[in-house]
Amino acid sequence: MPAGTLYRGREGMWSWVAHRVTGVLIFFFLFVHVLDTALVRVSPETYDKVVATYKTPVVAVLEYGLVAAILFHALNGLRVIAVDFWAKGARYQKQMLWTVVGVWVVLMLGAIYPVLGHAARVVFGS
């Protein structure tokens, strides 16, 4: 495969950027998650306060963003694997990217109620 084949064109460039950005966001989430979980040993009261803030509507929106980042990163990662290990992968990488985006949108639409339902009830009432 010629150099640059995987990320040729605007779509490829943006998928490369999105893959790196989502990876960094997921890393920072995991870092914060380890820190806040460690609070339980240091100060259980502080841990309880931190966990209570996680039940707010703003954090629910952030959780939806986390789901979006993880889902895109995973789906795009599978596309990158297909491009790398399938003999015809480079030829179909653009179609696979649009398939990833389509599947991602459908799954994110399906995640709206499970992830944001409680926050919507808190903000707008039952």
Side-chain angles (χ1 to χ4, degrees):
M1 167 171 34
T5 301
L6 178 57
Y7 298 111
R8 184 174 295 158
R10 279 187 308 206
E11 297 90 355
M13 178 188 69
W14 286 114
S15 71
W16 184 88
V17 169
H19 198 73
R20 273 37 178 204
V21 168
T22 56
V24 168
L25 291 173
I26 294 164
F27 169 79
F28 281 120
F29 162 76
L30 290 173
F31 181 72
V32 169
H33 180 61
V34 168
L35 289 178
D36 70 9
T37 303
L39 277 175
V40 78
R41 288 189 158 275
V42 177
S43 172
E45 298 82 23
T46 304
Y47 173 79
D48 290 339
K49 289 177 187 176
V50 170
V51 169
T53 64
Y54 292 164
K55 297 175 183 171
T56 64
V58 171
V59 174
V61 172
L62 293 173
E63 285 178 343
Y64 188 72
L66 177 64
V67 170
I70 291 170
L71 193 56
F72 178 81
H73 193 80
L75 293 170
N76 193 54
L78 293 174
R79 181 189 72 85
V80 170
I81 290 169
V83 169
D84 286 347
F85 292 105
W86 180 34
K88 296 181 183 179
R91 183 178 310 147
Y92 295 107
Q93 65 97 11
K94 190 173 184 178
Q95 292 89 337
M96 287 189 291
L97 174 61
W98 287 111
T99 301
V100 162
V101 170
V103 169
W104 179 79
V105 167
V106 168
L107 292 174
M108 288 309 300
L109 289 172
I112 289 174
Y113 182 75
V115 178
L116 296 176
H118 175 72
R121 286 188 296 279
V122 168
V123 172
F124 301 113
S126 297

